[in-house]
PDB file of all heavy atoms in Angstrom:
ATOM      1  N   THR U 131      -2.702 -31.700   7.304  1.00 92.00           N
ATOM      2  CA  THR U 131      -2.241 -30.738   6.305  1.00 92.00           C
ATOM      3  C   THR U 131      -2.674 -29.317   6.631  1.00 92.00           C
ATOM      4  O   THR U 131      -3.650 -29.081   7.361  1.00 92.00           O
ATOM      5  CB  THR U 131      -2.785 -31.128   4.913  1.00 92.00           C
ATOM      6  OG1 THR U 131      -2.388 -30.133   3.972  1.00 92.00           O
ATOM      7  CG2 THR U 131      -4.302 -31.194   4.923  1.00 92.00           C
ATOM      8  N   ILE U 132      -1.995 -28.347   6.018  1.00 94.00           N
ATOM      9  CA  ILE U 132      -2.343 -26.939   6.155  1.00 94.00           C
ATOM     10  C   ILE U 132      -3.755 -26.649   5.658  1.00 94.00           C
ATOM     11  O   ILE U 132      -4.405 -25.706   6.105  1.00 94.00           O
ATOM     12  CB  ILE U 132      -1.318 -26.061   5.398  1.00 94.00           C
ATOM     13  CG1 ILE U 132      -1.615 -24.563   5.593  1.00 94.00           C
ATOM     14  CG2 ILE U 132      -1.285 -26.413   3.931  1.00 94.00           C
ATOM     15  CD1 ILE U 132      -0.629 -23.650   4.895  1.00 94.00           C
ATOM     16  N   GLN U 133      -4.260 -27.477   4.732  1.00 93.00           N
ATOM     17  CA  GLN U 133      -5.624 -27.262   4.217  1.00 93.00           C
ATOM     18  C   GLN U 133      -6.648 -27.233   5.347  1.00 93.00           C
ATOM     19  O   GLN U 133      -7.680 -26.560   5.251  1.00 93.00           O
ATOM     20  CB  GLN U 133      -5.993 -28.379   3.234  1.00 93.00           C
ATOM     21  CG  GLN U 133      -5.099 -28.468   1.997  1.00 93.00           C
ATOM     22  CD  GLN U 133      -5.398 -27.375   0.989  1.00 93.00           C
ATOM     23  OE1 GLN U 133      -4.570 -27.052   0.153  1.00 93.00           O
ATOM     24  NE2 GLN U 133      -6.591 -26.820   1.050  1.00 93.00           N
ATOM     25  N   ASN U 134      -6.379 -27.958   6.437  1.00 94.00           N
ATOM     26  CA  ASN U 134      -7.319 -28.003   7.557  1.00 94.00           C
ATOM     27  C   ASN U 134      -7.487 -26.651   8.235  1.00 94.00           C
ATOM     28  O   ASN U 134      -8.499 -26.406   8.895  1.00 94.00           O
ATOM     29  CB  ASN U 134      -6.861 -29.032   8.591  1.00 94.00           C
ATOM     30  CG  ASN U 134      -6.919 -30.453   8.068  1.00 94.00           C
ATOM     31  OD1 ASN U 134      -7.692 -30.762   7.153  1.00 94.00           O
ATOM     32  ND2 ASN U 134      -6.098 -31.342   8.622  1.00 94.00           N
ATOM     33  N   THR U 135      -6.505 -25.740   8.069  1.00 96.00           N
ATOM     34  CA  THR U 135      -6.607 -24.440   8.733  1.00 96.00           C
ATOM     35  C   THR U 135      -7.658 -23.532   8.100  1.00 96.00           C
ATOM     36  O   THR U 135      -7.995 -22.491   8.655  1.00 96.00           O
ATOM     37  CB  THR U 135      -5.246 -23.717   8.715  1.00 96.00           C
ATOM     38  OG1 THR U 135      -4.864 -23.445   7.361  1.00 96.00           O
ATOM     39  CG2 THR U 135      -4.180 -24.564   9.392  1.00 96.00           C
ATOM     40  N   LEU U 136      -8.165 -23.923   6.929  1.00 95.00           N
ATOM     41  CA  LEU U 136      -9.226 -23.134   6.286  1.00 95.00           C
ATOM     42  C   LEU U 136     -10.601 -23.499   6.814  1.00 95.00           C
ATOM     43  O   LEU U 136     -11.586 -22.821   6.515  1.00 95.00           O
ATOM     44  CB  LEU U 136      -9.186 -23.351   4.770  1.00 95.00           C
ATOM     45  CG  LEU U 136      -7.875 -22.996   4.062  1.00 95.00           C
ATOM     46  CD1 LEU U 136      -8.031 -23.133   2.560  1.00 95.00           C
ATOM     47  CD2 LEU U 136      -7.397 -21.594   4.433  1.00 95.00           C
ATOM     48  N   VAL U 137     -10.693 -24.579   7.600  1.00 90.00           N
ATOM     49  CA  VAL U 137     -11.973 -25.025   8.159  1.00 90.00           C
ATOM     50  C   VAL U 137     -12.182 -24.337   9.506  1.00 90.00           C
ATOM     51  O   VAL U 137     -11.364 -24.494  10.409  1.00 90.00           O
ATOM     52  CB  VAL U 137     -11.987 -26.554   8.335  1.00 90.00           C
ATOM     53  CG1 VAL U 137     -13.329 -27.009   8.905  1.00 90.00           C
ATOM     54  CG2 VAL U 137     -11.694 -27.247   7.011  1.00 90.00           C
ATOM     55  N   PRO U 138     -13.257 -23.567   9.666  1.00 87.00           N
ATOM     56  CA  PRO U 138     -13.449 -22.793  10.905  1.00 87.00           C
ATOM     57  C   PRO U 138     -13.992 -23.624  12.060  1.00 87.00           C
ATOM     58  O   PRO U 138     -14.893 -23.183  12.783  1.00 87.00           O
ATOM     59  CB  PRO U 138     -14.441 -21.719  10.470  1.00 87.00           C
ATOM     60  CG  PRO U 138     -15.243 -22.356   9.403  1.00 87.00           C
ATOM     61  CD  PRO U 138     -14.289 -23.281   8.666  1.00 87.00           C
ATOM     62  N   THR U 139     -13.492 -24.804  12.257  1.00 80.00           N
ATOM     63  CA  THR U 139     -13.923 -25.642  13.380  1.00 80.00           C
ATOM     64  C   THR U 139     -12.809 -26.633  13.686  1.00 80.00           C
ATOM     65  O   THR U 139     -11.955 -26.930  12.841  1.00 80.00           O
ATOM     66  CB  THR U 139     -15.216 -26.403  13.040  1.00 80.00           C
ATOM     67  OG1 THR U 139     -15.569 -27.244  14.137  1.00 80.00           O
ATOM     68  CG2 THR U 139     -15.049 -27.246  11.798  1.00 80.00           C
ATOM     69  N   ASP U 140     -12.812 -27.139  14.900  1.00 73.00           N
ATOM     70  CA  ASP U 140     -11.803 -28.127  15.307  1.00 73.00           C
ATOM     71  C   ASP U 140     -12.123 -29.527  14.803  1.00 73.00           C
ATOM     72  O   ASP U 140     -11.302 -30.438  14.932  1.00 73.00           O
ATOM     73  CB  ASP U 140     -11.695 -28.179  16.837  1.00 73.00           C
ATOM     74  CG  ASP U 140     -11.036 -26.923  17.395  1.00 73.00           C
ATOM     75  OD1 ASP U 140     -10.352 -26.234  16.631  1.00 73.00           O
ATOM     76  OD2 ASP U 140     -11.214 -26.646  18.585  1.00 73.00           O
ATOM     77  N   TRP U 141     -13.337 -29.690  14.240  1.00 70.00           N
ATOM     78  CA  TRP U 141     -13.767 -31.027  13.825  1.00 70.00           C
ATOM     79  C   TRP U 141     -14.343 -30.969  12.419  1.00 70.00           C
ATOM     80  O   TRP U 141     -14.932 -29.966  12.003  1.00 70.00           O
ATOM     81  CB  TRP U 141     -14.837 -31.578  14.783  1.00 70.00           C
ATOM     82  CG  TRP U 141     -14.350 -31.643  16.196  1.00 70.00           C
ATOM     83  CD1 TRP U 141     -14.465 -30.666  17.157  1.00 70.00           C
ATOM     84  CD2 TRP U 141     -13.651 -32.716  16.806  1.00 70.00           C
ATOM     85  NE1 TRP U 141     -13.888 -31.069  18.325  1.00 70.00           N
ATOM     86  CE2 TRP U 141     -13.379 -32.334  18.152  1.00 70.00           C
ATOM     87  CE3 TRP U 141     -13.221 -33.972  16.363  1.00 70.00           C
ATOM     88  CZ2 TRP U 141     -12.708 -33.156  19.036  1.00 70.00           C
ATOM     89  CZ3 TRP U 141     -12.550 -34.787  17.261  1.00 70.00           C
ATOM     90  CH2 TRP U 141     -12.298 -34.384  18.572  1.00 70.00           C
ATOM     91  N   VAL U 142     -14.167 -32.058  11.676  1.00 62.00           N
ATOM     92  CA  VAL U 142     -14.747 -32.161  10.342  1.00 62.00           C
ATOM     93  C   VAL U 142     -15.614 -33.410  10.296  1.00 62.00           C
ATOM     94  O   VAL U 142     -16.027 -33.934  11.331  1.00 62.00           O
ATOM     95  CB  VAL U 142     -13.635 -32.215   9.263  1.00 62.00           C
ATOM     96  CG1 VAL U 142     -12.928 -30.884   9.179  1.00 62.00           C
ATOM     97  CG2 VAL U 142     -12.640 -33.325   9.557  1.00 62.00           C
ATOM     98  N   ALA U 143     -15.888 -33.903   9.086  1.00 58.00           N
ATOM     99  CA  ALA U 143     -16.794 -35.049   8.931  1.00 58.00           C
ATOM    100  C   ALA U 143     -16.316 -36.243   9.750  1.00 58.00           C
ATOM    101  O   ALA U 143     -15.122 -36.475   9.924  1.00 58.00           O
ATOM    102  CB  ALA U 143     -16.884 -35.427   7.458  1.00 58.00           C
ATOM    103  N   MET U 144     -17.282 -37.003  10.242  1.00 56.00           N
ATOM    104  CA  MET U 144     -17.028 -38.222  11.019  1.00 56.00           C
ATOM    105  C   MET U 144     -16.224 -37.916  12.286  1.00 56.00           C
ATOM    106  O   MET U 144     -15.456 -38.739  12.788  1.00 56.00           O
ATOM    107  CB  MET U 144     -16.310 -39.273  10.155  1.00 56.00           C
ATOM    108  CG  MET U 144     -17.076 -39.683   8.912  1.00 56.00           C
ATOM    109  SD  MET U 144     -16.209 -40.900   7.914  1.00 56.00           S
ATOM    110  CE  MET U 144     -16.220 -42.316   9.039  1.00 56.00           C
ATOM    111  N   MET U 145     -16.387 -36.666  12.808  1.00 69.00           N
ATOM    112  CA  MET U 145     -15.771 -36.268  14.076  1.00 69.00           C
ATOM    113  C   MET U 145     -14.256 -36.429  14.060  1.00 69.00           C
ATOM    114  O   MET U 145     -13.631 -36.750  15.077  1.00 69.00           O
ATOM    115  CB  MET U 145     -16.392 -37.062  15.229  1.00 69.00           C
ATOM    116  CG  MET U 145     -17.868 -36.801  15.428  1.00 69.00           C
ATOM    117  SD  MET U 145     -18.226 -35.046  15.739  1.00 69.00           S
ATOM    118  CE  MET U 145     -17.528 -34.861  17.370  1.00 69.00           C
ATOM    119  N   ARG U 146     -13.636 -36.180  12.928  1.00 79.00           N
ATOM    120  CA  ARG U 146     -12.183 -36.239  12.846  1.00 79.00           C
ATOM    121  C   ARG U 146     -11.623 -34.862  13.158  1.00 79.00           C
ATOM    122  O   ARG U 146     -12.079 -33.853  12.626  1.00 79.00           O
ATOM    123  CB  ARG U 146     -11.741 -36.679  11.448  1.00 79.00           C
ATOM    124  CG  ARG U 146     -10.235 -36.769  11.275  1.00 79.00           C
ATOM    125  CD  ARG U 146      -9.877 -37.370   9.923  1.00 79.00           C
ATOM    126  NE  ARG U 146     -10.366 -36.573   8.819  1.00 79.00           N
ATOM    127  CZ  ARG U 146      -9.737 -35.490   8.331  1.00 79.00           C
ATOM    128  NH1 ARG U 146      -8.621 -35.078   8.902  1.00 79.00           N
ATOM    129  NH2 ARG U 146     -10.242 -34.843   7.309  1.00 79.00           N
ATOM    130  N   PRO U 147     -10.597 -34.745  14.024  1.00 88.00           N
ATOM    131  CA  PRO U 147     -10.017 -33.436  14.341  1.00 88.00           C
ATOM    132  C   PRO U 147      -9.473 -32.754  13.085  1.00 88.00           C
ATOM    133  O   PRO U 147      -8.931 -33.397  12.189  1.00 88.00           O
ATOM    134  CB  PRO U 147      -8.882 -33.773  15.321  1.00 88.00           C
ATOM    135  CG  PRO U 147      -9.248 -35.102  15.889  1.00 88.00           C
ATOM    136  CD  PRO U 147      -9.968 -35.830  14.793  1.00 88.00           C
ATOM    137  N   SER U 148      -9.626 -31.427  13.029  1.00 91.00           N
ATOM    138  CA  SER U 148      -9.179 -30.645  11.887  1.00 91.00           C
ATOM    139  C   SER U 148      -8.118 -29.650  12.351  1.00 91.00           C
ATOM    140  O   SER U 148      -8.416 -28.710  13.085  1.00 91.00           O
ATOM    141  CB  SER U 148     -10.358 -29.901  11.251  1.00 91.00           C
ATOM    142  OG  SER U 148      -9.919 -29.001  10.258  1.00 91.00           O
TER     143      SER U 148
END
Side-chain angles (χ1 to χ4, degrees):
T131 177
I132 183 179
Q133 299 284 159
N134 293 335
T135 63
L136 302 186
V137 180
T139 178
D140 289 340
W141 302 91
V142 291
M144 301 180 66
M145 297 302 290
R146 180 173 61 82
S148 172

